[in-house]
Amino acid sequence: MTDAASVAPLLELADLHYTWPGASVPVFGGLDLRVDPGEAVFLAGASGSGKSTLLALIGGLIAPDAGRIDFAGTRLDALKRAQRDRFRAEHLGVIFQQFNLLPWLDPVANVLLGCRFSKRRGKRAGDREAEAARLLAAMGIDEAGFARRADQLSVGQQQRVAAARALIGRPDLVLADEPTSALDRDRRDDFLDLLFGEVRQAGSALLFVSHDRELVDRFDRVIELSDLKTGSAPC
Amino acid sequence: MLTRLARGSLTNRLFAVSLTIFTIAISIALLVLVEQMRNQVREGFQRSVSGVDLIVGAPTAPVQLLLYSVFGLGDATANVTWTTYEELSKARTVDWAVPISLGDSHQGYRVIGTTAEFFERYRFAGGQTLSFADGETWTDLFDVVIGAQVARQLDYELGDRLELAHGAGNVSLMTHAGQPFTVRGILAPTGTPIDQSLYVSLEAHHAIHIGWERGVPRPGSGLTPEEARAAEAELQPDAVTAIFLGLTTRAAVFGLQQRINDYPNEALLAVLPGIALQQLWRITGLAERILLVVAGLVVLAGLLGMLTALLTTLNERRREMAILRACGARPVQIAALLLLEAFLITLAGLVLGVLLAYGLQIAAAPWLLAQFGIAIGAAWPDATLLLVLAGIGVAGVLVALIPAALVYRRTLADGMQVRQ
């Protein structure tokens, strides 16, 4: 990114230190990372390289021991826990590897969870039910799928519902933690097509964690987690 | 919003949750039943004895005198002489005196020999007088007036003829055959033991027992109905079982009781029905308290069952918690979700339990009425019971604080990740 300086970054991590409570070896010993608004970033790293810890830090579920997390002008590291939760509810969408949904809710109700815990995000979504239905349709869930419980959907459909939930209310950043690893190749490509389409339309940035390097061409930028300034022995 | 999530989560585990709710419901039902029945039975007994200031009988335990004279439970051990009855009825502070003679039965129902004044004087349910649903009081010596339940159960109408059996109880070996009685009146229902009784005149009671001085009929000694009718004026009993007294002023009651208990000519016992009832409650009170404690422990077991059910679901629900966390739910909200679930379970258990208790009460009412002549209705729970029920609701939530605290700590540790 040659013109990086001209755009204010969406997310900036600087000199981040983190050690899990009780662990002797730090996960991060001075990590720097930057994501610009609307940017799609591929974060590559073997499992156990600290990806989940990084996502938890960005999501505000844990606070760094030292260093700075700037998110759209807010110092995440300086917020209290409840404020970080509110911040996450408002600005972030999260997609896990699998089991993203509350099994006993239908897809629409699952998508609505994405804007349940933040009033502002709910307002941004507008008519929430309609927006949830629109997103689901855009992610290729047909009407028949709407009536089912989430656990009656195929894994591929579940991941799409999860993407719709992450995207409702147009969050600034979507965190995706290996969302395609449970999908076969065809489903994976379908999923990514739909995900990218909707992420672009929402104007969200995407931080996509995966070890599947076949996907890197779709992204604006690829970051190797091991290249970042991490601790001496990641766990 | 949380409510919808809690409801959804509960419906998802419908079978397990239903079992938990049912466990709590049964425990609540037991508690409500014990408490309601206690009050209802007391009320039922209480309503049977209003209007009588003193009950006089042969010396025995006050409770026993009350039970056999009013409730038809147990038997008298000795009688009161007719002379004493006459003297008492003339006493200065005595407004009225109604004697009763027990010892006979009809198909398990008690037959009471008394005077016609009984129908005027007896009061139940805080002052209501007896009334005839059909017919009137005796006109002939061998007329009988029957209680509402007797008429209904045995399907008797006015003019029906029936025979009395000697001795109380369902199985009587000896009958007063040859001296049939005619149903002359049917009393309106009272919800008291009156409904289970048959009433004959003292003279008739005496007449059918002539020749039974030793407890069995002396051959050839009984009167035919015609002989009895002819001798009606001389049919005066030597003794009665008990005497109901009404006083001119209630203030005189303790003085008169004292005088009767110190009666020089005959050993007597006079009891105040209310006080005898209190003694009865003191006897049954211990059992009631034990029942209450047991019921309380069962409720506790029910709540602990819920605790177990909640705790066992926690592990399988970690994923759920992580998803909610990822969507921005605070640990407090997730803990609140659990408390809410516990509250909904307890509430459902409470409602179902109270309904169950009322159902059982309504189902048991006819049996109690038939067995003890006590009318119980499904009364609205009193303030104490409502308070106890509310307390159980709170206890349900308090119990759920344990899993809620666990969830709170765990969601903090797990974050969005389920760390095993």
Side-chain angles (χ1 to χ4, degrees):
Chain A
M1 304 294 283
T2 51
D3 57 346
S6 62
V7 186
L10 172 69
L11 174 70
E12 192 169 31
L13 280 59
D15 196 25
L16 207 66
H17 291 255
Y18 187 78
T19 308
W20 279 106
S24 54
V25 189
V27 191
F28 304 123
L31 174 138
D32 299 302
L33 177 72
R34 170 186 169 140
V35 177
D36 288 330
E39 192 185 18
V41 176
F42 186 92
L43 188 63
S47 55
S49 58
K51 291 178 297 186
S52 301
T53 309
L54 183 60
L55 294 186
L57 281 163
I58 295 170
L61 289 142
I62 51 178
D65 301 331
R68 193 161 56 83
I69 304 177
D70 249 312
F71 196 129
T74 301
R75 282 286 298 268
L76 219 51
D77 54 289
L79 294 183
K80 294 200 174 91
R81 207 176 55 217
Q83 293 172 313
R84 295 202 304 266
D85 289 334
R86 204 169 305 136
F87 194 86
R88 176 173 69 256
E90 193 179 332
H91 296 281
L92 276 181
V94 178
I95 312 171
F96 298 116
Q97 190 170 347
Q98 55 181 336
F99 309 121
N100 268 292
L101 309 177
L102 294 190
W104 32 270
L105 292 179
D106 62 31
V108 170
N110 262 296
V111 172
L112 287 174
L113 280 180
C115 55
R116 275 234 159 125
F117 295 94
S118 164
K119 275 197 185 130
R120 274 195 223 167
R121 188 153 168 189
K123 270 195 194 141
R124 276 210 304 269
D127 180 347
R128 292 193 267 169
E129 305 261 341
E131 174 65 0
R134 186 195 71 76
L135 275 166
L136 283 169
M139 291 304 296
I141 304 291
D142 53 21
E143 289 286 331
F146 278 34
R148 298 216 187 132
R149 277 167 51 123
D151 55 0
Q152 289 169 333
L153 300 174
S154 71
V155 179
Q157 285 173 318
Q158 289 190 23
Q159 290 304 80
R160 292 187 214 162
V161 175
R165 182 185 64 209
L167 283 163
I168 194 167
R170 284 178 279 115
D172 294 315
L173 175 65
V174 173
L175 292 179
D177 188 359
E178 309 219 22
T180 55
S181 66
L183 306 178
D184 59 36
R185 182 183 297 252
D186 287 348
R187 281 165 211 272
R188 183 194 69 187
D189 290 342
D190 287 350
F191 175 78
L192 286 174
D193 289 344
L194 295 167
L195 177 67
F196 269 86
E198 282 307 305
V199 165
R200 298 262 186 248
Q201 190 175 336
S204 309
L206 174 65
L207 186 57
F208 193 99
V209 177
S210 179
H211 58 268
D212 185 354
R213 287 169 201 279
E214 282 181 40
L215 311 175
V216 295
D217 291 347
R218 294 171 178 266
F219 291 85
D220 300 329
R221 196 151 55 96
V222 178
I223 301 171
E224 296 286 337
L225 192 52
S226 51
D227 289 349
L228 296 172
K229 200 174 150 200
T230 60
S232 49
C235 66
Chain B
M1 176 197 70
L2 276 182
T3 320
R4 207 178 134 196
L5 281 179
R7 258 202 346 250
S9 169
L10 289 176
T11 344
N12 180 46
R13 291 172 283 121
L14 196 59
F15 184 66
V17 168
S18 305
L19 279 182
T20 309
I21 289 176
F22 200 60
T23 311
I24 295 177
I26 288 176
S27 69
I28 302 282
L30 183 65
L31 186 77
V32 172
L33 264 186
V34 168
E35 187 58 22
Q36 287 280 89
M37 287 301 220
R38 185 174 75 116
N39 291 334
Q40 293 265 318
V41 165
R42 286 189 176 196
E43 219 168 85
F45 271 85
Q46 204 75 50
R47 65 183 271 135
S48 302
V49 289
S50 71
V52 175
D53 292 319
L54 280 175
I55 302 172
V56 182
T60 174
V63 171
Q64 202 189 345
L65 174 57
L66 175 79
L67 286 181
Y68 72 65
S69 65
V70 177
F71 297 101
L73 299 170
D75 293 304
T77 45
N79 287 334
V80 179
T81 62
W82 186 253
T83 325
T84 302
Y85 161 68
E86 285 190 315
E87 284 184 26
L88 280 180
S89 56
K90 284 178 211 138
R92 192 167 44 81
T93 50
V94 171
D95 183 26
W96 52 267
V98 171
I100 58 165
S101 278
L102 304 174
D104 284 346
S105 63
H106 175 72
Q107 310 238 10
Y109 294 105
R110 226 161 45 125
V111 174
I112 298 161
T114 185
T115 59
E117 204 179 0
F118 176 86
F119 303 119
E120 295 158 29
R121 295 301 185 184
Y122 200 88
R123 296 283 184 279
F124 67 97
Q128 293 186 50
T129 52
L130 294 178
S131 62
F132 284 86
D134 210 353
E136 51 182 345
T137 184
W138 321 292
T139 49
D140 181 67
L141 182 64
F142 288 98
D143 279 348
V144 61
V145 168
I146 63 179
Q149 174 111 18
V150 177
R152 197 171 61 238
Q153 288 291 318
L154 302 180
D155 206 14
Y156 283 145
E157 291 171 9
L158 293 187
D160 283 352
R161 289 162 82 80
L162 53 91
E163 280 175 357
L164 306 187
H166 192 69
N170 280 307
V171 185
S172 296
L173 296 174
M174 313 275 207
T175 60
H176 297 288
Q179 295 157 319
F181 282 76
T182 307
V183 177
R184 180 66 59 188
I186 298 171
L187 293 170
T190 60
T192 72
I194 303 271
D195 297 349
Q196 268 91 38
S197 304
L198 296 87
Y199 294 89
V200 301
S201 67
L202 268 185
E203 291 78 15
H205 186 267
H206 181 61
I208 60 177
H209 287 98
I210 285 175
W212 287 66
E213 288 78 8
R214 286 164 210 278
V216 292
R218 216 160 3 101
S221 65
L223 297 178
T224 63
E226 292 68 32
E227 289 169 343
R229 286 195 185 95
E232 191 169 344
E234 298 146 41
L235 287 171
Q236 192 189 70
D238 308 321
V240 295
T241 312
I243 307 163
F244 294 146
L245 293 182
L247 305 192
T248 48
T249 156
R250 296 211 68 175
V253 73
F254 290 105
L256 185 63
Q257 182 190 26
Q258 194 64 48
R259 289 215 306 283
I260 294 172
N261 286 341
D262 297 337
Y263 202 63
N265 303 337
E266 188 180 1
L268 289 176
L269 172 73
V271 299
L272 279 76
I275 288 178
L277 267 183
Q278 288 306 314
Q279 288 182 340
L280 180 63
W281 301 147
R282 229 171 290 142
I283 296 166
T284 58
L286 181 65
E288 286 168 0
R289 269 200 296 280
I290 291 170
L291 268 178
L292 266 184
V293 168
V294 170
L297 288 175
V298 174
V299 169
L300 187 67
L303 291 180
L304 288 180
M306 176 178 74
L307 175 62
T308 314
L310 286 175
L311 285 174
T312 50
T313 60
L314 284 192
N315 253 331
E316 59 191 68
R317 296 177 67 190
R318 290 179 100 161
R319 196 67 243 173
E320 226 172 86
M321 311 289 174
I323 293 164
L324 292 172
R325 282 289 277 153
C327 290
R330 279 176 284 149
V332 168
Q333 286 173 309
I334 290 174
L337 190 67
L338 216 80
L339 290 183
L340 193 61
E341 282 186 20
F343 177 68
L344 291 178
I345 288 176
T346 316
L347 191 68
L350 279 170
V351 171
L352 193 65
V354 171
L355 288 179
L356 204 64
Y358 277 85
L360 284 171
Q361 239 172 293
I362 290 166
W367 179 79
L368 276 173
L369 193 63
Q371 210 68 18
F372 301 108
I374 291 163
I376 64 158
W380 188 245
D382 61 14
T384 322
L385 189 56
L386 285 177
L387 209 64
V388 169
L389 292 179
I392 292 169
V394 173
V397 176
L398 288 180
V399 161
L401 277 176
I402 298 167
L406 280 175
V407 158
Y408 182 85
R409 285 181 47 192
R410 206 178 264 181
T411 51
L412 273 186
D414 280 356
M416 297 188 292
Q417 230 52 40
V418 177
R419 306 169 72 85
Q420 299 295 342

